[in-house]
């Protein structure tokens, strides 16, 4: 599928606004017209194998109770027709991993996470099992993981994080990307795949970036508290459950109004690496943010999720945000596809 033909990049006058509607940038820059292109949204449809993800399986009568004390999510309240975003933090509230969590039954729970962090996350979580009747295993070889996009995501108008079970397979409805419907498909190895055209990993990665939700990968290990990636705004943090590692710091950040970093969608013309620093012209000595996700835009350039200081994002006029250093390629802040949760 040659998507590049659907775009006509040109120089345009662009304006970006933060969640409150405050103007954040105006620039003369090369942009793609694809950001909300209806034609692109109609044409993106297919299935992509997600080899970058793996599965941790937790089974046993204490599976829910154990995870309830480890994750930012209220696992006890997850229904059998639901999934949830969750994070595993250290004592300082810094995320060591993130998951899409769902139950196959009340004593059989799957947690989908970045494969490059799976082994160390499994080892660390297992340290806390102690006498709990719960067994954690790497079940990546036991399940197929695919991303569904566009017309392949059939069914009723399911909301993000709802789950549909079909003959042993699980379809988790995700936040859309660039207006394209998306779902995570997880099924036991050997299950027949949904009939759909192949979708490239690169295009799926772009839809992931456009969703505004970044997965914790190895370069991001312990880099952020959940709110720095907007996890509280997309259902990834419960502020009403009991304790978990880092809970006090995560809650304090929210309730005391001390959130000074957020995740933003950003566009640039140069490729960026996850974990790469972003600078603001107001302070050439210290970075103002880190790249949390990056993918090539099908039209031109690259789209990123950047966790950065809110003050830098609010003053992101033309040429004031740069990648890798003060003299690096310019970046332009875009609008998030979801509202930010300001208070509880």
């Amino acid at each position: 599928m040659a998507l590049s033909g659907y775009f006509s990049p040109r120089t345009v006058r662009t304006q970006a606004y933060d969640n409150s509607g405050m103007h954040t940038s105006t620039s003369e820059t090369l942009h793609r017209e694809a950001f909300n292109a209806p034609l692109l949204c109609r044409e993106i449809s297919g299935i992509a194998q997600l080899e970058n993800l793996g599965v941790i399986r937790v089974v046993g009568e204490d599976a829910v109770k154990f995870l309830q004390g480890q994750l930012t999510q209220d696992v006890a309240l997850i229904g059998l027709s639901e999934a949830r975003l969750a994070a595993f933090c250290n004592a300082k509230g810094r995320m060591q991993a993130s998951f899409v969590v769902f139950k196959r039954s009340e004593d059989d729970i799957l947690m989908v996470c970045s494969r490059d962090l799976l082994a160390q996350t499994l080892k660390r979580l297992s340290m806390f099992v102690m006498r709990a009747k719960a067994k954690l295993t790497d079940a990546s070889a036991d399940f197929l993981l695919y991303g569904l996009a566009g017309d392949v995501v059939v069914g009723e108008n399911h909301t993000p994080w709802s789950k549909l079970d079909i003959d042993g397979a699980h379809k988790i409805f995700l936040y859309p990307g660039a207006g394209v419907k998306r779902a995570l498909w997880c099924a036991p190895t050997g299950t027949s795949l949904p009939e759909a055209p192949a979708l490239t990993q690169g295009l799926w990665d772009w839809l992931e970036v456009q969703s505004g939700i970044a997965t914790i990968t190895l370069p991001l290990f312990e880099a952020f508290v959940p709110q720095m990636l907007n996890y509280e705004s997309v259902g990834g943090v419960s502020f009403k459950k009991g304790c978990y590692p880092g809970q006090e710091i995560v809650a304090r950040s929210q309730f005391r109004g001390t959130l000074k970093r957020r995740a933003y969608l950003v566009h640039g013309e140069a490729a960026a690496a996850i974990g790469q620093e972003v600078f603001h012209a107001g302070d050439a000595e210290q970075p103002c943010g880190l790249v949390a996700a990056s993918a090539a835009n099908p039209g031109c350039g690259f789209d990123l999720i950047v966790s950065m200081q809110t003050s830098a994002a609010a003053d992101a006029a033309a040429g004031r945000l740069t990648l890798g250093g003060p003299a690096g390629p310019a970046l332009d802040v875009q609008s998030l596809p979801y509202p930010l949760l300001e208070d509880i």
Side-chain angles (χ1 to χ4, degrees):
M1 180 169 52
L3 290 171
S4 59
Y6 295 118
F7 305 92
S8 179
R10 58 188 174 89
T11 301
V12 295
R13 188 75 170 172
T14 62
Q15 297 186 18
Y17 299 84
D18 65 15
N19 191 60
S20 65
M22 182 179 296
H23 177 261
T24 59
S25 70
T26 303
S27 61
E28 291 289 337
T29 184
L30 185 66
H31 277 276
R32 66 274 183 248
E33 294 181 52
F35 196 76
N36 291 308
L39 182 57
L40 170 66
C41 296
R42 291 199 300 269
E43 292 297 330
I44 293 182
S45 182
I47 181 171
Q49 186 173 7
L50 306 180
E51 296 180 335
N52 59 314
L53 301 179
V55 179
I56 293 176
R57 189 175 190 178
V58 187
V59 297
E61 61 183 87
D62 290 340
V64 170
K65 181 180 179 181
F66 168 71
L67 292 176
Q68 188 76 348
Q70 301 300 323
L71 305 183
T72 59
Q73 187 55 250
D74 195 330
V75 181
L77 293 183
I78 299 177
L80 294 178
S81 61
E82 299 173 313
R84 287 292 184 269
L85 181 67
F88 176 50
C89 302
N90 65 13
K92 296 182 179 181
R94 297 276 169 161
M95 292 189 288
Q96 297 183 331
S98 63
F99 313 93
V100 174
V101 182
F102 61 94
K103 299 174 180 176
R104 305 185 79 212
S105 66
E106 288 297 333
D107 58 1
D108 187 354
I109 302 173
L110 300 186
M111 306 196 302
V112 179
C113 66
S114 178
R115 190 181 287 267
D116 65 356
L117 280 172
L118 191 149
Q120 68 186 60
T121 303
L122 178 61
K123 181 178 180 180
R124 183 160 182 80
L125 278 169
S126 298
M127 292 170 55
F128 300 107
V129 173
M130 298 180 184
R131 296 182 181 179
K133 295 179 180 179
K135 182 179 179 181
L136 283 70
T137 59
D138 179 353
S140 302
D142 301 327
F143 292 92
L144 302 172
L145 294 173
Y146 281 80
L148 309 181
D151 294 339
V152 185
V153 187
V154 295
E156 294 80 10
N157 294 322
H158 291 280
T159 57
W161 308 129
S162 60
K163 178 171 74 76
L164 186 63
D165 297 331
I166 308 171
D167 297 329
H170 312 286
K171 183 189 291 185
I172 295 100
F173 295 86
L174 305 174
Y175 273 70
V180 179
K181 294 182 294 184
R182 300 189 310 128
L184 172 66
W185 189 82
C186 176
T189 300
T191 304
S192 298
L193 300 178
E195 293 186 7
L199 198 69
T200 66
Q201 179 73 51
L203 192 53
W204 176 263
D205 291 344
W206 179 65
L207 294 177
E208 281 273 274
V209 170
Q210 285 290 311
S211 77
I213 303 174
T215 297
I216 296 296
T217 55
L218 188 58
L220 304 179
F221 180 76
E222 296 186 340
F224 308 118
V225 298
Q227 291 97 326
M228 291 180 184
L229 288 182
N230 304 344
Y231 271 39
E232 87 298 338
S233 296
V234 290
V237 180
S238 171
F239 294 100
K240 298 180 180 180
K241 58 168 284 184
C243 295
Y244 56 86
Q247 182 265 344
E248 182 179 353
I249 292 174
V250 174
R252 185 188 306 136
S253 297
Q254 192 72 33
F255 289 107
R256 293 189 177 180
T258 58
L259 295 177
K260 299 189 182 300
R261 287 178 180 263
R262 289 286 200 175
Y264 298 87
L265 279 180
V266 173
H267 178 73
E269 298 305 317
I274 294 177
Q276 192 168 5
E277 295 176 335
V278 170
F279 286 77
H280 184 268
D283 185 356
E285 300 297 324
Q286 298 292 332
C288 67
L290 288 176
V291 175
S294 174
N297 182 282
C300 68
F302 293 82
D303 291 331
L304 323 173
I305 297 175
V306 175
S307 177
M308 75 175 96
Q309 297 168 0
T310 55
S311 58
D315 184 29
R320 294 184 66 80
L321 278 182
T322 54
L323 178 66
L331 299 173
D332 196 38
V333 175
Q334 308 288 336
S335 298
L336 281 169
Y338 51 77
L340 292 176
L341 180 64
E342 298 296 341
D343 203 352
I344 304 302

